[in-house]
Amino acid sequence: MTLTMQHDASIKAAALPDAQTVTEVKHWTDQLFSFRVTRPKTLRFRSGEFVMIGLFKDDGKPLLRAYSIASPSWDEELEFYSIKVQDGPLTSRLQHIKVGDQIILRPKPVGTLVHDALLPGKRIWFLATGTGIAPFASLIRDPQTYEDYDQVILTHTCRDRHELDYGFDLLKRTLEDPLIGEMAQDKLIHYPTTTRETSDNVGRITDLLSSGKLLSDLDIKDFSAAHDRAMVCGSMGLNLDLKKILEEHGLNEGANSAPAEFVVEKAFVG
Ligand code: A2P
């Protein structure tokens, strides 16, 4: 895909009401990037929700994919975090966006990784792999997260150390934030792990949870459906495996219409 075609697509998007302008692009690794766009004035969303974003194809039709909003609901702009798939229909082109380009954004936020889908609890676990950290980037900067829970634990598992960089930067930005930094300093714990390279914590989150290592590392002795709540975001396999483990611990899956102890959503890929 050439840049010329990319820009043609962007120009077409500019003529439509759903077009938003790119304000920042950061490439974290060869395979991961984040970007910020202008926010439609009327867009309201709950932390953890996703929207459809994309570009126009050469035939003029929109090519859209679900992307979790990675910025907090009080932010003036919207942030997204994406994988780059070299032959992926959208991300093969989206990875080339530049400041000033335009993308399509349908302002209809939806999703299950929302506080409304959970019953009240004391501790919340945000369990992410890869770009599945995106909805939690919004949730860990939502004051409600700290009003509702005594402890907030964000686990992020990636293959390599470098792929954890977005999460480390996110934690720094969160702890330094004038609005929620102080609340987060008291309650937020970051537990990054790698599976294909050594780092401080090595292993799949499923294994670390099942073996008890995660709980002992965090000095938690009372994990229970009575007060632990969880949100999961990763690949289909990760989601299914974690769902099973959480259910074995007595937690039930919730939804907007029937809140319970945990919720799951597939991270965008492709
Ligand atoms: P692993 O390296 O052992 O496959 P991916 O890029 O494939 O989505 O993987 C992102 C991270 O999620 C990797 O660290 C990977 O570990 C881990 N992962 C993938 N599938 C599962 C699963 N079913 N259970 C636990 N961890 C998983």
mmCIF file of all heavy atoms in Angstrom, residues 54-79:
data_model
loop_
_atom_site.group_PDB
_atom_site.id
_atom_site.type_symbol
_atom_site.label_atom_id
_atom_site.label_comp_id
_atom_site.label_asym_id
_atom_site.label_seq_id
_atom_site.Cartn_x
_atom_site.Cartn_y
_atom_site.Cartn_z
ATOM 1 N N GLY A 54 -11.638 3.653 11.266
ATOM 2 C CA GLY A 54 -11.034 3.097 10.057
ATOM 3 C C GLY A 54 -10.719 4.123 9.010
ATOM 4 O O GLY A 54 -10.619 5.318 9.288
ATOM 5 N N LEU A 55 -10.560 3.604 7.794
ATOM 6 C CA LEU A 55 -10.188 4.425 6.632
ATOM 7 C C LEU A 55 -11.082 4.024 5.466
ATOM 8 O O LEU A 55 -11.732 2.974 5.513
ATOM 9 C CB LEU A 55 -8.719 4.148 6.250
ATOM 10 C CG LEU A 55 -7.646 4.519 7.260
ATOM 11 C CD1 LEU A 55 -6.301 3.929 6.827
ATOM 12 C CD2 LEU A 55 -7.541 6.028 7.424
ATOM 13 N N PHE A 56 -11.075 4.826 4.450
ATOM 14 C CA PHE A 56 -11.804 4.467 3.243
ATOM 15 C C PHE A 56 -10.944 3.573 2.358
ATOM 16 O O PHE A 56 -9.743 3.794 2.227
ATOM 17 C CB PHE A 56 -12.226 5.713 2.466
ATOM 18 C CG PHE A 56 -13.439 6.355 3.074
ATOM 19 C CD1 PHE A 56 -13.312 7.357 4.007
ATOM 20 C CD2 PHE A 56 -14.704 5.907 2.723
ATOM 21 C CE1 PHE A 56 -14.426 7.932 4.583
ATOM 22 C CE2 PHE A 56 -15.831 6.486 3.293
ATOM 23 C CZ PHE A 56 -15.691 7.492 4.228
ATOM 24 N N LYS A 57 -11.588 2.564 1.785
ATOM 25 C CA LYS A 57 -10.886 1.694 0.842
ATOM 26 C C LYS A 57 -10.802 2.409 -0.511
ATOM 27 O O LYS A 57 -11.461 3.423 -0.737
ATOM 28 C CB LYS A 57 -11.660 0.384 0.672
ATOM 29 C CG LYS A 57 -11.650 -0.477 1.923
ATOM 30 C CD LYS A 57 -12.275 -1.830 1.663
ATOM 31 C CE LYS A 57 -13.784 -1.715 1.557
ATOM 32 N NZ LYS A 57 -14.471 -3.002 1.471
ATOM 33 N N ASP A 58 -10.032 1.820 -1.403
ATOM 34 C CA ASP A 58 -9.875 2.429 -2.731
ATOM 35 C C ASP A 58 -11.199 2.511 -3.484
ATOM 36 O O ASP A 58 -11.382 3.369 -4.334
ATOM 37 C CB ASP A 58 -8.847 1.634 -3.549
ATOM 38 C CG ASP A 58 -7.488 1.675 -2.871
ATOM 39 O OD1 ASP A 58 -7.227 2.656 -2.145
ATOM 40 O OD2 ASP A 58 -6.706 0.721 -3.034
ATOM 41 N N ASP A 59 -12.129 1.594 -3.152
ATOM 42 C CA ASP A 59 -13.428 1.641 -3.839
ATOM 43 C C ASP A 59 -14.388 2.638 -3.175
ATOM 44 O O ASP A 59 -15.561 2.713 -3.531
ATOM 45 C CB ASP A 59 -14.060 0.244 -3.889
ATOM 46 C CG ASP A 59 -14.374 -0.308 -2.503
ATOM 47 O OD1 ASP A 59 -14.217 0.423 -1.500
ATOM 48 O OD2 ASP A 59 -14.795 -1.475 -2.404
ATOM 49 N N GLY A 60 -13.877 3.388 -2.187
ATOM 50 C CA GLY A 60 -14.697 4.423 -1.558
ATOM 51 C C GLY A 60 -15.515 3.936 -0.379
ATOM 52 O O GLY A 60 -16.152 4.724 0.324
ATOM 53 N N LYS A 61 -15.507 2.621 -0.135
ATOM 54 C CA LYS A 61 -16.275 2.090 1.006
ATOM 55 C C LYS A 61 -15.429 2.166 2.285
ATOM 56 O O LYS A 61 -14.210 1.995 2.222
ATOM 57 C CB LYS A 61 -16.665 0.630 0.736
ATOM 58 C CG LYS A 61 -17.698 0.513 -0.367
ATOM 59 C CD LYS A 61 -18.200 -0.909 -0.485
ATOM 60 C CE LYS A 61 -19.189 -1.015 -1.630
ATOM 61 N NZ LYS A 61 -19.105 -2.290 -2.330
ATOM 62 N N PRO A 62 -16.078 2.394 3.444
ATOM 63 C CA PRO A 62 -15.297 2.464 4.688
ATOM 64 C C PRO A 62 -14.847 1.081 5.143
ATOM 65 O O PRO A 62 -15.575 0.107 4.989
ATOM 66 C CB PRO A 62 -16.291 3.052 5.689
ATOM 67 C CG PRO A 62 -17.640 2.822 5.122
ATOM 68 C CD PRO A 62 -17.507 2.641 3.641
ATOM 69 N N LEU A 63 -13.619 1.012 5.682
ATOM 70 C CA LEU A 63 -13.115 -0.227 6.276
ATOM 71 C C LEU A 63 -12.937 0.068 7.761
ATOM 72 O O LEU A 63 -12.061 0.853 8.138
ATOM 73 C CB LEU A 63 -11.773 -0.597 5.632
ATOM 74 C CG LEU A 63 -11.052 -1.802 6.217
ATOM 75 C CD1 LEU A 63 -11.891 -3.071 6.059
ATOM 76 C CD2 LEU A 63 -9.701 -1.980 5.550
ATOM 77 N N LEU A 64 -13.789 -0.519 8.582
ATOM 78 C CA LEU A 64 -13.809 -0.166 10.001
ATOM 79 C C LEU A 64 -13.500 -1.377 10.874
ATOM 80 O O LEU A 64 -13.826 -2.500 10.528
ATOM 81 C CB LEU A 64 -15.197 0.369 10.377
ATOM 82 C CG LEU A 64 -15.697 1.593 9.599
ATOM 83 C CD1 LEU A 64 -17.148 1.876 9.931
ATOM 84 C CD2 LEU A 64 -14.840 2.803 9.921
ATOM 85 N N ARG A 65 -12.876 -1.122 12.025
ATOM 86 C CA ARG A 65 -12.621 -2.173 13.012
ATOM 87 C C ARG A 65 -12.927 -1.603 14.395
ATOM 88 O O ARG A 65 -12.852 -0.391 14.607
ATOM 89 C CB ARG A 65 -11.148 -2.604 12.998
ATOM 90 C CG ARG A 65 -10.725 -3.318 11.748
ATOM 91 C CD ARG A 65 -11.213 -4.771 11.731
ATOM 92 N NE ARG A 65 -10.720 -5.510 10.579
ATOM 93 C CZ ARG A 65 -11.323 -5.563 9.389
ATOM 94 N NH1 ARG A 65 -12.448 -4.891 9.200
ATOM 95 N NH2 ARG A 65 -10.815 -6.267 8.405
ATOM 96 N N ALA A 66 -13.207 -2.515 15.326
ATOM 97 C CA ALA A 66 -13.479 -2.099 16.703
ATOM 98 C C ALA A 66 -12.168 -1.752 17.403
ATOM 99 O O ALA A 66 -11.221 -2.538 17.367
ATOM 100 C CB ALA A 66 -14.169 -3.233 17.441
ATOM 101 N N TYR A 67 -12.117 -0.578 18.008
ATOM 102 C CA TYR A 67 -10.942 -0.168 18.783
ATOM 103 C C TYR A 67 -11.387 0.341 20.147
ATOM 104 O O TYR A 67 -12.210 1.258 20.229
ATOM 105 C CB TYR A 67 -10.201 0.978 18.063
ATOM 106 C CG TYR A 67 -9.132 0.516 17.116
ATOM 107 C CD1 TYR A 67 -9.440 0.152 15.820
ATOM 108 C CD2 TYR A 67 -7.806 0.440 17.538
ATOM 109 C CE1 TYR A 67 -8.453 -0.273 14.944
ATOM 110 C CE2 TYR A 67 -6.813 0.024 16.669
ATOM 111 C CZ TYR A 67 -7.136 -0.338 15.379
ATOM 112 O OH TYR A 67 -6.157 -0.756 14.525
ATOM 113 N N SER A 68 -10.817 -0.207 21.189
ATOM 114 C CA SER A 68 -11.089 0.310 22.524
ATOM 115 C C SER A 68 -10.528 1.724 22.638
ATOM 116 O O SER A 68 -9.424 1.999 22.155
ATOM 117 C CB SER A 68 -10.391 -0.543 23.582
ATOM 118 O OG SER A 68 -10.977 -1.808 23.618
ATOM 119 N N ILE A 69 -11.264 2.592 23.298
ATOM 120 C CA ILE A 69 -10.760 3.941 23.545
ATOM 121 C C ILE A 69 -9.763 3.836 24.707
ATOM 122 O O ILE A 69 -10.110 3.337 25.783
ATOM 123 C CB ILE A 69 -11.907 4.904 23.892
ATOM 124 C CG1 ILE A 69 -12.912 4.963 22.724
ATOM 125 C CG2 ILE A 69 -11.361 6.300 24.214
ATOM 126 C CD1 ILE A 69 -14.187 5.733 23.033
ATOM 127 N N ALA A 70 -8.527 4.281 24.470
ATOM 128 C CA ALA A 70 -7.472 4.126 25.480
ATOM 129 C C ALA A 70 -7.290 5.383 26.330
ATOM 130 O O ALA A 70 -6.436 5.412 27.211
ATOM 131 C CB ALA A 70 -6.161 3.761 24.791
ATOM 132 N N SER A 71 -8.071 6.403 26.046
ATOM 133 C CA SER A 71 -7.961 7.649 26.820
ATOM 134 C C SER A 71 -9.118 7.735 27.813
ATOM 135 O O SER A 71 -10.161 7.110 27.615
ATOM 136 C CB SER A 71 -7.994 8.843 25.871
ATOM 137 O OG SER A 71 -9.010 8.665 24.906
ATOM 138 N N PRO A 72 -8.930 8.518 28.870
ATOM 139 C CA PRO A 72 -10.019 8.653 29.847
ATOM 140 C C PRO A 72 -11.170 9.491 29.300
ATOM 141 O O PRO A 72 -10.969 10.283 28.369
ATOM 142 C CB PRO A 72 -9.342 9.355 31.021
ATOM 143 C CG PRO A 72 -8.122 9.992 30.475
ATOM 144 C CD PRO A 72 -7.714 9.256 29.252
ATOM 145 N N SER A 73 -12.342 9.332 29.891
ATOM 146 C CA SER A 73 -13.530 10.000 29.341
ATOM 147 C C SER A 73 -13.457 11.518 29.510
ATOM 148 O O SER A 73 -14.181 12.238 28.837
ATOM 149 C CB SER A 73 -14.798 9.444 29.974
ATOM 150 O OG SER A 73 -14.678 9.493 31.365
ATOM 151 N N TRP A 74 -12.557 11.999 30.400
ATOM 152 C CA TRP A 74 -12.426 13.448 30.587
ATOM 153 C C TRP A 74 -11.408 14.080 29.637
ATOM 154 O O TRP A 74 -11.229 15.294 29.615
ATOM 155 C CB TRP A 74 -12.097 13.791 32.041
ATOM 156 C CG TRP A 74 -11.051 12.912 32.679
ATOM 157 C CD1 TRP A 74 -11.279 11.834 33.482
ATOM 158 C CD2 TRP A 74 -9.612 13.020 32.543
ATOM 159 N NE1 TRP A 74 -10.078 11.264 33.863
ATOM 160 C CE2 TRP A 74 -9.051 11.971 33.306
ATOM 161 C CE3 TRP A 74 -8.765 13.895 31.866
ATOM 162 C CZ2 TRP A 74 -7.673 11.777 33.405
ATOM 163 C CZ3 TRP A 74 -7.387 13.698 31.956
ATOM 164 C CH2 TRP A 74 -6.868 12.639 32.727
ATOM 165 N N ASP A 75 -10.728 13.284 28.846
ATOM 166 C CA ASP A 75 -9.707 13.801 27.927
ATOM 167 C C ASP A 75 -10.363 14.510 26.738
ATOM 168 O O ASP A 75 -11.387 14.048 26.240
ATOM 169 C CB ASP A 75 -8.866 12.613 27.420
ATOM 170 C CG ASP A 75 -7.523 13.023 26.856
ATOM 171 O OD1 ASP A 75 -7.413 14.118 26.296
ATOM 172 O OD2 ASP A 75 -6.584 12.208 26.955
ATOM 173 N N GLU A 76 -9.751 15.597 26.283
ATOM 174 C CA GLU A 76 -10.306 16.338 25.135
ATOM 175 C C GLU A 76 -10.127 15.592 23.825
ATOM 176 O O GLU A 76 -10.839 15.832 22.855
ATOM 177 C CB GLU A 76 -9.603 17.696 25.000
ATOM 178 C CG GLU A 76 -10.126 18.716 25.970
ATOM 179 C CD GLU A 76 -9.307 19.993 25.956
ATOM 180 O OE1 GLU A 76 -8.553 20.216 25.001
ATOM 181 O OE2 GLU A 76 -9.428 20.734 26.942
ATOM 182 N N GLU A 77 -9.150 14.697 23.780
ATOM 183 C CA GLU A 77 -8.902 13.917 22.556
ATOM 184 C C GLU A 77 -9.178 12.440 22.831
ATOM 185 O O GLU A 77 -9.457 12.060 23.972
ATOM 186 C CB GLU A 77 -7.446 14.081 22.113
ATOM 187 C CG GLU A 77 -7.101 15.503 21.707
ATOM 188 C CD GLU A 77 -5.649 15.675 21.285
ATOM 189 O OE1 GLU A 77 -4.789 14.825 21.625
ATOM 190 O OE2 GLU A 77 -5.372 16.669 20.620
ATOM 191 N N LEU A 78 -9.074 11.614 21.781
ATOM 192 C CA LEU A 78 -9.240 10.173 21.933
ATOM 193 C C LEU A 78 -7.924 9.499 21.580
ATOM 194 O O LEU A 78 -7.253 9.894 20.622
ATOM 195 C CB LEU A 78 -10.336 9.655 20.992
ATOM 196 C CG LEU A 78 -11.729 10.215 21.213
ATOM 197 C CD1 LEU A 78 -12.668 9.749 20.108
ATOM 198 C CD2 LEU A 78 -12.276 9.797 22.582
ATOM 199 N N GLU A 79 -7.563 8.481 22.382
ATOM 200 C CA GLU A 79 -6.319 7.747 22.104
ATOM 201 C C GLU A 79 -6.657 6.301 21.758
ATOM 202 O O GLU A 79 -7.601 5.725 22.313
ATOM 203 C CB GLU A 79 -5.408 7.789 23.346
ATOM 204 C CG GLU A 79 -4.062 7.098 23.129
ATOM 205 C CD GLU A 79 -3.051 7.417 24.241
ATOM 206 O OE1 GLU A 79 -3.034 8.575 24.719
ATOM 207 O OE2 GLU A 79 -2.303 6.505 24.617
#
